[in-house]
């Protein structure tokens, strides 16, 4: 997979103000304006993903997603696919992103894109991946489970517009 490096992302004016106020020496913003190779390599090892979006009123919502290794992975340059079990009735982020679509219906965002952000964590190494982008497509397949109520498998495709892969050194 080829990666093209483009211009760096400047610090948000609020971040720059705090850094100046605290006398933090200037350094370049480590955020990439695409899915960086380092972030793409970390994704298959992520075991927990906090995924957020905004509802129609502009209110932020977050959900926790998890799954077997590779439940989130890079499938193309700056394209991430997520396939994970979810609660179709009580998960606000899934309901917002998939617009209450029914069994097997695809959501093609087209002109009405939903912004999403995520923080993936590999619990064993404490490595983290930050992602920000837009939902491209999604689908929900409902699964009936005995004694567990209703569950579903969500499939989401996200176009990554910013990423940051980080290692956390154990102390």
């Amino acid at each position: 997979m080829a990666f093209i490096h483009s211009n760096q992302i400047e610090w948000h004016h609020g971040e720059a103000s705090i850094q100046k106020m605290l006398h933090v020496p200037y350094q370049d913003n480590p955020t990439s304006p695409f899915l960086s190779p380092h972030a793409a390599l970390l994704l298959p090892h992520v075991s927990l993903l906090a995924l957020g979006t905004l509802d129609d009123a502009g209110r932020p919502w977050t959900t926790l997603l998890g799954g077997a290794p590779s439940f989130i992975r890079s499938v193309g340059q700056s394209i991430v696919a997520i396939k994970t079990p979810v609660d179709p009735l009580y998960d606000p982020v899934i309901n917002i992103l998939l617009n209450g679509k029914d069994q097997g219906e695809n959501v093609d965002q087209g002109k009405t894109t939903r912004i999403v952000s995520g923080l993936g964590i590999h619990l064993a190494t404490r490595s983290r991946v930050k992602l920000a982008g837009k939902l491209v497509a999604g689908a929900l397949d409902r699964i009936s489970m005995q004694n567990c109520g209703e569950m579903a498998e969500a499939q989401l495709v996200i176009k990554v517009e910013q990423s940051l892969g980080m290692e956390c050194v154990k102390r």
Side-chain angles (χ1 to χ4, degrees):
M1 181 179 331
F3 290 90
I4 299 170
H5 184 70
S6 62
N7 298 335
Q8 79 175 48
I9 295 174
E10 296 297 322
W11 291 107
H12 180 273
H13 70 277
E15 291 171 311
S17 296
I18 292 290
Q19 291 172 1
K20 185 176 180 180
M21 184 175 69
L22 296 174
H23 305 288
V24 174
Y26 179 81
Q27 57 184 0
D28 290 337
N29 187 340
T31 304
S32 299
F34 51 86
L35 182 63
S36 71
H38 183 66
L41 288 173
L42 285 175
L43 283 176
H45 305 287
V46 164
S47 51
L48 187 64
L49 176 71
L51 186 69
T53 192
L54 300 174
D55 67 13
D56 291 334
R59 296 174 299 204
W61 292 89
T62 302
T63 190
L64 288 175
L65 302 175
S70 296
F71 84 94
I72 177 172
R73 58 191 171 88
S74 173
V75 293
Q77 188 168 349
S78 292
I79 303 292
V80 169
I82 301 169
K83 186 175 181 180
T84 185
V86 297
D87 183 334
L89 299 176
Y90 300 108
D91 190 321
V93 171
I94 295 302
N95 286 321
I96 292 166
L97 293 177
L98 299 181
N99 299 319
K101 293 291 183 184
D102 213 357
Q103 173 74 16
E105 286 184 84
N106 290 333
V107 175
D108 181 2
Q109 290 295 339
K111 296 177 185 168
T112 59
T113 56
R114 289 268 184 199
I115 62 168
V116 293
S117 63
L119 176 64
I121 303 168
H122 181 239
L123 296 173
T125 63
R126 300 187 326 180
S127 298
R128 299 174 309 279
V129 178
K130 288 183 180 180
L131 304 171
K134 295 184 177 151
L135 182 69
V136 176
L140 190 65
D141 292 323
R142 295 183 189 274
I143 305 164
S144 182
M145 299 180 69
Q146 189 176 15
N147 301 328
C148 292
E150 191 172 318
M151 292 297 293
E153 181 177 75
Q155 298 178 43
L156 306 172
V157 179
I158 297 170
K159 169 77 167 110
V160 177
E161 296 173 345
Q162 293 183 9
S163 71
L164 177 62
M166 303 168 288
E167 300 292 331
C168 186
V169 179
K170 292 184 179 180
R171 296 187 177 123

